[in-house]
Amino acid sequence: MTPWTPDQPLVSIRNVHKSYGDIEVLKGISLDVMKGQVICIIGPSGSGKSTLIRCINALNDIQSGSILVEGQEVHDPKLDKLALRRKVGMVFQQYNLFPHKTALQNVMMAPIKVLKENRAEVEARARDLLKKVRLEGKENHYPGELSGGQQQRVAIARSLAMRPDVMLFDEVTAALDPETVKEVLVTIKDLAADGMTCILVTHEMGFAREVSDHVYFTDKGVIVEHGAPADFFGNAQDPRTRAFLDQVL
């Protein structure tokens, strides 16, 4: 395998097909994500958005096609999935925090238990990450003592603790109250500004317009249209894209 270099896509998806039984959810999806890019994937419910990003870190298998992360085939049967998930962080709609562990303990768990890293070093990093996501002072709070937006930011810090090369966000604001959506989006915006490669499935159109380098619109398992945000939102070409944007903007 030729070593990956930063002038190549960090994530390269080629002609990916995915079915659940007789239902084809992804119908030949192809896209590239370069290092440092922020990509937003939008579209109606059931259009395959979440399935696609779950395929990137091998939570879902694929029937055919190729997904490369730093040149490594994600669906190679010999793939070390743990090594892949160190490179590819993922934050879900549900926070999935351990309720009996504090914010700090939640962030520290994987590097200590999975990577066997030094506890003192991990704790220092976890404290820095909680500060980064604006949760300084909440280190010893349990998830039940935190708002939804705060819990989601702990989940982001927890994913960052594994020092990934790319972050996947799957509708991370969908379960939040409107007033807490903004604090999570600001956190992701900060990450993007720091150069983190991000792939987001989102229904926050203003955020997609402001932060992304490229927007993809999916419908019924295909990419209907894609482009830079100014072109995409200002001059959509496909009737399906225009109809969708008319509904959500």
Side-chain angles (χ1 to χ4, degrees):
M1 188 177 77
T2 311
W4 176 81
T5 54
D7 60 336
Q8 301 169 307
L10 185 72
V11 178
S12 182
I13 299 171
R14 285 288 171 275
N15 198 27
V16 164
H17 290 258
K18 165 69 182 169
S19 298
Y20 293 108
D22 295 335
I23 300 166
E24 195 174 22
V25 183
L26 301 177
K27 304 172 183 175
I29 296 278
S30 297
L31 63 90
D32 286 335
V33 184
M34 303 301 290
K35 185 173 173 59
Q37 269 195 320
V38 178
I39 301 297
C40 284
I41 304 171
I42 65 171
S45 295
S47 63
K49 309 181 300 293
S50 293
T51 298
L52 176 62
I53 68 166
R54 290 171 69 91
C55 291
I56 295 172
N57 73 345
L59 282 173
N60 287 345
D61 60 358
I62 61 176
Q63 269 64 51
S64 63
S66 169
I67 300 176
L68 300 177
V69 174
E70 293 181 354
Q72 182 175 39
E73 178 55 61
V74 168
H75 295 277
D76 181 342
K78 298 191 286 289
L79 172 79
D80 178 348
K81 288 188 180 177
L82 175 59
L84 172 72
R85 289 177 190 148
R86 286 179 65 178
K87 292 180 184 176
V88 184
M90 186 154 184
V91 184
F92 300 89
Q93 184 174 328
Q94 304 303 332
Y95 330 120
N96 301 321
L97 299 177
F98 291 101
H100 59 292
K101 294 197 176 290
T102 65
L104 185 66
Q105 289 168 337
N106 265 283
V107 176
M108 290 174 62
M109 267 189 82
I112 289 172
K113 292 201 177 304
V114 178
L115 304 184
K116 312 296 185 196
E117 291 186 1
N118 176 274
R119 176 175 286 273
E121 289 172 13
V122 171
E123 181 172 342
R125 188 160 87 239
R127 289 183 182 278
D128 284 345
L129 286 168
L130 287 169
K131 189 173 178 180
K132 186 183 186 75
V133 300
R134 298 180 168 84
L135 287 174
E136 200 171 9
K138 301 289 187 184
E139 293 86 354
N140 297 320
H141 286 56
Y142 290 90
E145 301 171 313
L146 300 172
S147 72
Q150 289 170 334
Q151 289 185 63
Q152 192 58 289
R153 284 183 282 153
V154 174
I156 292 171
R158 178 181 60 184
S159 192
L160 291 170
M162 296 290 277
R163 293 186 279 209
D165 295 330
V166 57
M167 287 282 286
L168 309 177
F169 296 93
D170 186 12
E171 295 277 23
V172 293
T173 59
L176 299 179
D177 299 326
E179 65 267 24
T180 58
V181 166
K182 187 178 177 186
E183 63 195 37
V184 173
L185 294 180
V186 166
T187 298
I188 298 171
K189 202 154 104 180
D190 289 347
L191 284 182
D194 288 346
M196 173 62 76
T197 309
C198 299
I199 305 173
L200 300 101
V201 168
T202 185
H203 59 272
E204 299 289 340
M205 296 301 133
F207 179 78
R209 188 195 296 249
E210 183 184 354
V211 175
S212 65
D213 296 300
H214 210 84
V215 181
Y216 287 83
F217 172 63
T218 62
D219 190 23
K220 299 189 172 77
V222 300
I223 294 171
V224 175
E225 189 165 351
H226 63 94
D231 292 337
F232 181 88
F233 288 105
N235 190 29
Q237 300 297 305
D238 192 283
R240 281 179 293 176
T241 313
R242 291 202 299 270
F244 176 77
L245 292 176
D246 285 346
Q247 282 185 317
V248 298
L249 291 179

